[in-house]
Amino acid sequence: GLNGAGKTTLVKLLARLYDPTDGAILVDGIDLREADPKDWQRRIAAIFQDFLKYGLPARDNIGFGGLEMAGDQAALDRAAAKAGVLERIQGLPAGWDTPLSRHFTGGADLSGGEWQRIGLARALFAVEAGATVLILDEPTASLDVRAEAELYDRFLDMTKGLTTLLISHRFSTVRRADRICVLEDGGALELGTHDELMARGGRYAEMFTLQSQRVVDAGASA
């Protein structure tokens, strides 16, 4: 969906950051408002576009995804490795104990893409701690095309056994989904697989074709 279609609002409702004022979200047939918020949110692992960047050590920035396991170094390493940021952390002045801010003695600044990988590692660490629903809201927006391709080459293994909701404007990523939902004005306009939606010739097919043509044109002019 286009900007403002309601994609981020929908997943924030799913995570119960707030409740719907109309309609309902059902999980296994149960209205989500009847579930205990803390219990439900322990099952959610999420990285939103506006995820927090803590001026704290790298281990805290990732460990906050699953506080009960924050002392498990092996689990921290696995999450960071899956997000492609382990080597960067290990190369910091004090490794995992380096504050991720120059405002602190011995601290280090990260690039936008590195911060995005930290946020992704935090969500994957929540999965290590038992979360079963993974929400990724534009998780590669700050990565270059090569880094994004490398990340999504490993994406299916990273999300195996999970229910994953992925929001992305990059159709090379979207087309891999089992089900694709096109949102417009807060509602579901189209729903189906990549092949089904392309055959339908609707909004998804229009946007996919437009973006594909831009890539072709960019390659031809390079």
Side-chain angles (χ1 to χ4, degrees):
L2 302 175
N3 289 335
K7 303 182 297 297
T8 297
T9 298
L10 183 62
V11 293
K12 286 188 174 181
L13 285 166
L14 178 62
R16 277 209 76 181
L17 299 183
Y18 38 77
D19 289 328
T21 54
D22 189 25
I25 296 176
L26 304 182
V27 178
D28 293 334
I30 299 172
D31 190 324
L32 197 54
R33 286 171 290 199
E34 299 176 9
D36 178 80
K38 291 184 179 179
D39 179 63
W40 172 247
Q41 287 167 356
R42 287 191 191 97
R43 298 171 59 184
I44 299 285
I47 172 174
F48 296 106
Q49 295 179 47
D50 53 353
F51 68 92
L52 291 174
K53 303 172 184 178
Y54 301 101
L56 295 171
R59 69 172 62 257
D60 294 328
N61 267 279
I62 294 177
F64 284 162
L67 289 175
E68 63 273 27
M69 288 184 62
D72 188 333
Q73 188 59 54
L76 287 168
D77 287 345
R78 285 194 298 271
K82 287 178 181 178
V85 76
L86 179 58
E87 289 187 7
R88 178 69 174 105
I89 292 173
Q90 292 173 334
L92 293 172
W96 280 94
D97 296 313
T98 304
L100 300 185
S101 172
R102 289 286 189 186
H103 294 295
F104 296 95
T105 302
D109 285 333
L110 299 181
S111 68
E114 289 168 342
W115 265 116
Q116 197 145 37
R117 289 180 184 274
I118 291 287
L120 180 57
R122 187 186 306 157
L124 294 173
F125 190 69
V127 172
E128 290 274 353
T132 56
V133 179
L134 179 61
I135 296 173
L136 303 174
D137 187 356
E138 294 285 353
T140 61
S142 295
L143 301 182
D144 60 39
V145 174
R146 180 175 295 179
E148 181 194 42
E150 177 212 345
L151 181 63
Y152 281 112
D153 280 344
R154 295 183 284 127
F155 184 73
L156 293 179
D157 288 334
M158 288 164 52
T159 59
K160 196 171 184 178
L162 299 174
T163 297
T164 304
L165 280 80
L166 171 67
I167 296 175
S168 179
H169 287 101
R170 298 182 182 178
F171 286 90
S172 59
T173 299
V174 173
R175 68 181 300 170
R176 305 186 188 198
D178 295 322
R179 298 184 77 192
I180 300 167
C181 180
V182 180
L183 296 184
E184 186 170 284
D185 297 327
L189 181 67
E190 297 177 333
L191 185 66
T193 66
H194 170 78
D195 290 340
E196 289 169 347
L197 296 183
M198 290 300 292
R200 189 176 300 170
R203 186 62 52 81
Y204 176 84
E206 175 189 343
M207 293 190 295
F208 183 90
T209 301
L210 179 62
Q211 191 171 104
S212 298
Q213 189 58 51
R214 285 177 180 169
V215 173
V216 171
D217 292 343
S221 62

